[in-house]
Amino acid sequence: MNQADPTANQVEMASPPARPFLSKITSRTLRRWADRGAQVVITLGGWATIFSIFGIFAYLFIEVAPLFYAASWTQSTAVHVDPFDEADRKPEHVAVGINEYMEVGYVLRKDGIAFYAFPAGTPIRLKSVPEFESGDITALARSPGKSHTYGLGTGIGRVIPFYVTFRVTFEDDVRYTEPVVTAGEPFEAVPTSVGPERSGVKSKDAPIARLAYRETDSGTIAAALTESGRLFLTKIQESEAEGLFALETESELLQAEITGDGVEALSVLLLDDLGETLLGGTKDGRLLYWDIQDIERPRLMGIYSAGTSITALSYLIGDRSIVVGTERGTVAVWMSVIDPDVGGDPRLEKIRDLAPHEGAVTAISPSLRDKGFLTADVSGGVAVHHSTSSQTLIQIPGNGSSVLAAMFAPKTDGALVLDDSGRLITYDIENEHPESTFSSLFFPVLYEGYEESLHIWQSTGGSDAFEPKFGLWPIMFGTLKGTIYAMLLATPLAVLGAIYTSMFMRPNIRAVVKPVVEIMAAFPTVVLGFLAGLWFAPLLEKIFPALVAMFLLIPLAVAVVCVGWQFLPSRLKGHSGNVTELATFLLVLAGTVWLCLQLNHQVESWLFDSDYKQWLQSTFGLAYDQRNALVIAFAMGMAVIPTIFSISEDSLSNVPPHLIAGSLALGATPWQTLTKLVIISASPGVFSALMIGLGRVVGETMIVLMATGNTPVMDMNLFNGFRTLSANIAVEMPEAPHGGTLYRLLFLAGLLLFVFTSIVNTLAEIVRQRLRARYSQF
């Protein structure tokens, strides 16, 4: 029988049992793991924050960058049309046009009209073409503002209204464009009979050599210059009269002849959109400006010198700016100006020169969307300009053939050009933001209707002819203005309140006051803005004289009470310490406020001649608006005071107590201890509080949006409104087309805010670190 080895049994009995894995984890191990996990999480969070900041900056930059991209062009099609006779190679004999999709273009000339499909350039046959009466077409004129409406001057002194339209249809989600040509009823533009108040024109003088044509709401107007140098105005005035069953339209032909004043030297004619003024350019470089509101009694308002023979004229959209092209290739923008102090007739002033051409300017085509325009010259060169930004965006070199006609595409994304060699050329133009340059955004610009260059922000207007004004300084200035006034109110109240709470208030009262003030920081700013705009602003307008009295009497009353308090016997002061002082202070404060409110009208009578608004205007030239910077100072001050107060009070309370006790033990008074020790030691924290409050004010949106009136003006007047960058983004973004200039400018405003706050925070941190290093010895 085998027996087990007793030694082996003893070894087995002596070996300890196996310990589970979890039992090996000690509290020290758990702390080490927790520390490492926290380190990883904090590191990842820090890097994520940094990447997020850079990501925001990169996104803003990507959205803003296209504002400053250079315009570009490519030639897409070149088609040869029927050749021109030598006599027909004149700009007044030819016109071109293209539809908004740049799919169908046409050439209108004396002998007819031809359509082409682009980009292939294949001819299009029309179903029907109107037949004209006898008499050759001797002049063509486009009605400005209406891309495809023309007046055709004839050899017998008549004008034929001529219309090109594009009928768009869709089949199976494919767009088809069909050109349609119609003609109106011809009318007599050059009188051929003799009347009691009309001079007769012989048949040999009847051919129209130059023509200006305009269709207005009140009728059709034509200015016709005959080959003999006589200038006639004609207006078909339409009015509505009551008929038997409905309103009927009646027409009346009004005519007059303009004589003298160098009429025989006219080379170009131009009518404004309302048919109220006529502009003529002469071969000797003069601009003649007539008032034709009374069509039968035209009146010359002024003669101006362009320096050299004028070869092309065009109004820009809105008919306030006039583009003048000359024989020397110069391109200038003139503007009609009315002196607000003198009134009277408008006068013309040259406001800017743009890049010249190598030869005479033969064609000008304005944009139908903005203040841009296209010019062409005798060498075939084409240029794209923008008046507001004062820049020439594109210069396309010529091929040596003179341009007879050109048209800027309706969407400003292309151009159609015809030269005298018979080449019909289309260009694709990439020019999304012509009005945005560094100069136009940050420097004064001379806008239409203004006497001088100004910083103005006005992004939209009541019509398509409005000239957008994208000066960023007014809203940057408004941001600084609101920040300054809000911080002027909030800083002393918050910091002095924090000093008193930390150094002089009893602990039991401080335990109530500090949480209450901190709770105020969570108050929604939209509610503050609502109250400020709809309740406080009207209230302040009524009690402004009382408010001025409060600023004078409250400090005086508090000073008197504080001095008097020192002389009161102890039995009257009571034994409650700060409670009695606080109650007395609040009582005096409330009483002074009540007294000022009761004396509101008397104070207005004593200090402001019974009308404080009129007094401010007459004495200081300051206008009082109900929603003004003073309202914002109170509202944003109330929003930022809790933040500054809380951080400042924490910094002051964290000064080591033994330092304060040592100062007092050495004989320093509490005030000396405060000024020489506590404030110095806590200065990094107090400075940080002010910077955080500053950042809050700079980025505040809702209060400013609801309580300022949002007027982008550059004026430090405390009693008018302003607009900030953040409020501007909130106001304009719903109306900004995606990818448009306004849309990207709002991102630029956000980028400016981002950069400004980053710079302020960086400088604040540098200053805080230096203060901390300097006073750490305390």
Side-chain angles (χ1 to χ4, degrees):
M1 183 174 181
N2 296 330
Q3 295 182 354
D5 188 354
T7 306
N9 291 336
Q10 292 178 1
V11 172
E12 289 180 3
M13 294 178 60
S15 61
R19 297 173 62 189
F21 175 75
L22 294 178
S23 64
K24 297 180 181 179
I25 302 176
T26 63
S27 59
R28 179 178 296 177
T29 303
L30 290 175
R31 286 195 301 271
R32 186 171 62 253
W33 288 355
D35 291 343
R36 290 179 180 176
Q39 182 180 5
V40 171
V41 171
I42 292 172
T43 302
L44 291 177
W47 280 109
T49 302
I50 294 173
F51 283 130
S52 298
I53 292 174
F54 279 103
I56 293 172
F57 176 81
Y59 177 73
L60 292 174
F61 183 81
I62 290 171
E63 290 292 339
V64 169
L67 287 172
F68 305 101
Y69 287 169
S72 60
W73 64 276
T74 55
Q75 180 178 315
S76 56
T77 307
V79 181
H80 282 276
V81 302
D82 294 337
F84 291 90
D85 296 334
E86 187 66 30
D88 294 337
R89 294 182 181 181
K90 298 178 181 179
E92 60 268 22
H93 292 166
V94 186
V96 296
I98 195 166
N99 74 328
E100 62 177 328
Y101 304 110
M102 293 191 67
E103 295 174 340
V104 178
Y106 60 87
V107 177
L108 176 62
R109 43 202 277 179
K110 293 171 59 177
D111 55 357
I113 186 169
F115 286 87
Y116 301 89
F118 295 110
T122 55
I124 300 175
R125 292 185 177 276
L126 296 183
K127 295 180 179 179
S128 63
V129 178
E131 295 182 0
F132 303 141
E133 62 182 22
S134 60
D136 294 334
I137 303 300
T138 57
L140 307 177
R142 191 193 307 267
S143 178
K146 299 180 179 180
S147 302
H148 310 296
T149 298
Y150 298 89
L152 308 183
T154 69
I156 59 175
R158 291 182 171 238
V159 172
I160 305 170
F162 189 80
Y163 309 96
V164 178
T165 57
F166 298 95
R167 184 181 298 136
V168 179
T169 58
F170 289 88
E171 295 181 11
D172 299 328
D173 294 331
V174 178
R175 182 175 60 241
Y176 295 92
T177 303
E178 178 187 1
V180 179
V181 176
T182 56
E185 187 69 24
F187 62 89
E188 186 181 79
V190 177
T192 57
S193 61
V194 178
E197 297 182 0
R198 178 183 302 177
S199 61
V201 177
K202 297 180 181 180
S203 60
K204 66 177 182 179
D205 294 331
I208 298 174
R210 299 283 189 278
L211 179 66
Y213 181 80
R214 177 75 80 164
E215 293 189 357
T216 68
D217 295 335
S218 61
T220 300
I221 300 176
L225 180 70
T226 67
E227 291 184 355
S228 62
R230 300 179 68 178
L231 178 61
F232 294 91
L233 290 175
T234 303
K235 181 175 184 179
I236 302 177
Q237 186 165 291
E238 297 178 350
S239 59
E240 292 184 343
E242 292 187 3
L244 183 61
F245 300 104
L247 291 176
E248 297 179 353
T249 302
E250 296 182 350
S251 299
E252 180 183 6
L253 183 68
L254 304 175
Q255 286 187 320
E257 181 178 3
I258 299 178
T259 60
D261 303 316
V263 169
E264 67 283 349
L266 286 171
S267 56
V268 190
L269 296 173
L270 183 65
L271 288 164
D272 74 325
D273 187 47
L274 299 177
E276 296 179 347
T277 62
L278 172 64
L279 189 66
T282 67
K283 299 173 184 177
D284 55 3
R286 291 183 297 163
L287 282 171
L288 308 181
Y289 197 35
W290 287 281
D291 176 5
I292 59 170
Q293 295 185 64
D294 185 350
I295 198 72
E296 295 181 308
R297 295 175 180 82
R299 181 172 56 87
L300 183 66
M301 294 187 291
I303 301 176
Y304 308 89
S305 175
T308 186
S309 178
I310 298 171
T311 55
L313 288 174
S314 177
Y315 277 108
L316 297 183
I317 184 172
D319 286 8
R320 293 297 297 271
S321 295
I322 305 159
V323 183
V324 179
T326 69
E327 188 178 36
R328 296 177 182 173
T330 61
V331 177
V333 178
W334 293 61
M335 184 169 64
S336 61
V337 179
I338 298 178
D339 193 326
D341 299 325
V342 178
D345 292 332
R347 68 179 189 277
L348 298 182
E349 287 187 0
K350 186 168 72 169
I351 59 174
R352 53 181 64 98
D353 288 301
L354 298 166
H357 285 268
E358 295 181 357
V361 177
T362 57
I364 300 174
S365 178
S367 166
L368 299 180
R369 292 195 167 195
D370 54 32
K371 299 301 178 180
F373 59 97
L374 178 147
T375 58
D377 62 32
V378 293
S379 66
V382 177
V384 177
H385 316 267
H386 195 272
S387 176
T388 305
S389 59
S390 300
Q391 60 175 337
T392 298
L393 303 162
I394 293 174
Q395 288 182 299
I396 303 174
N399 57 7
S401 298
S402 177
V403 172
L404 296 179
M407 181 180 175
F408 214 169
K411 293 184 178 180
T412 67
D413 57 351
L416 181 65
V417 176
L418 175 68
D419 61 32
D420 62 3
S421 67
R423 286 208 318 161
L424 184 63
I425 306 170
T426 59
Y427 295 100
D428 291 328
I429 295 175
E430 188 73 23
N431 182 30
E432 293 185 359
H433 310 289
E435 56 274 271
S436 61
T437 63
F438 185 85
S439 176
S440 63
L441 297 178
F442 296 102
F443 288 90
V445 175
L446 180 59
Y447 296 104
E448 292 180 348
Y450 291 83
E451 290 284 334
E452 58 182 343
S453 299
L454 297 171
H455 293 285
I456 301 176
W457 174 275
Q458 188 179 0
S459 60
T460 55
S463 68
D464 294 337
F466 171 76
E467 180 180 28
K469 302 167 182 64
F470 291 133
L472 290 176
W473 268 114
I475 53 178
M476 295 169 62
F477 182 88
T479 303
L480 296 176
K481 177 180 176 179
T483 300
I484 290 172
Y485 285 135
M487 293 300 291
L488 283 176
L489 179 71
T491 298
L493 292 178
V495 174
L496 294 178
I499 290 173
Y500 179 79
T501 303
S502 175
M503 293 295 298
F504 303 106
M505 187 175 286
R506 293 173 64 91
N508 58 336
I509 301 178
R510 182 168 65 247
V512 176
V513 171
K514 191 171 187 294
V516 170
V517 175
E518 289 176 342
I519 289 174
M520 291 173 58
F523 202 71
T525 57
V526 66
V527 178
L528 284 175
F530 177 80
L531 293 175
L534 298 183
W535 172 73
F536 183 67
L539 177 64
L540 181 61
E541 186 178 25
K542 294 178 181 178
I543 67 168
F544 178 78
L547 182 67
V548 175
M550 291 178 198
F551 274 99
L552 298 175
L553 295 181
I554 288 178
L556 179 62
V558 171
V560 170
V561 170
C562 290
V563 172
W565 184 266
Q566 306 302 319
F567 296 98
L568 286 178
S570 299
R571 60 185 179 83
L572 294 179
K573 294 180 180 180
H575 302 285
S576 301
N578 292 140
V579 176
T580 306
E581 294 180 8
L582 182 61
T584 304
F585 172 78
L586 293 177
L587 183 62
V588 171
L589 183 64
T592 306
V593 171
W594 178 84
L595 178 64
C596 292
L597 292 175
Q598 295 302 310
L599 298 176
N600 182 56
H601 295 294
Q602 288 82 354
V603 172
E604 185 174 22
S605 178
W606 297 336
L607 299 181
F608 304 109
D609 275 342
S610 301
D611 188 345
Y612 75 89
K613 293 183 179 179
Q614 182 62 35
W615 184 85
L616 289 172
Q617 182 69 48
S618 60
T619 306
F620 299 105
L622 301 178
Y624 186 96
D625 298 330
Q626 185 184 86
R627 298 187 179 187
N628 53 47
L630 185 59
V631 175
I632 292 301
F634 280 101
M636 286 208 296
M638 292 301 297
V640 78
I641 280 175
T643 301
I644 299 176
F645 171 86
S646 179
I647 299 175
S648 298
E649 200 279 336
D650 287 340
S651 299
L652 293 165
S653 297
N654 286 333
V655 175
H658 67 272
L659 295 179
I660 299 174
S663 174
L664 296 173
L666 291 174
T669 64
W671 184 254
Q672 290 173 326
T673 300
L674 171 66
T675 57
K676 303 295 184 181
L677 174 64
V678 177
I679 290 182
I680 293 176
S681 300
S683 58
V686 174
F687 184 77
S688 297
L690 294 177
M691 291 300 102
I692 292 174
L694 178 67
R696 169 76 183 275
V697 171
V698 169
E700 178 56 46
T701 302
M702 294 310 300
I703 294 177
V704 181
L705 186 65
M706 302 176 73
T708 62
N710 286 304
T711 50
V713 295
M714 294 183 63
D715 187 355
M716 283 301 292
N717 180 7
L718 184 62
F719 307 114
N720 66 7
F722 57 90
R723 180 183 289 190
T724 64
L725 288 166
S726 56
N728 191 62
I729 295 172
V731 169
E732 303 277 5
M733 187 58 79
E735 306 296 329
H738 184 271
T741 300
L742 176 59
Y743 176 86
R744 298 195 184 280
L745 284 175
L746 295 179
F747 275 94
L748 177 58
L751 181 62
L752 291 174
L753 267 178
F754 185 86
V755 172
F756 177 78
T757 53
S758 299
I759 292 174
V760 169
N761 289 338
T762 301
L763 294 177
E765 181 62 19
I766 293 173
V767 173
R768 190 186 71 83
Q769 292 290 352
R770 291 188 177 182
L771 290 174
R772 186 174 183 180
R774 181 174 181 180
Y775 299 118
S776 60
Q777 56 184 333
F778 291 99

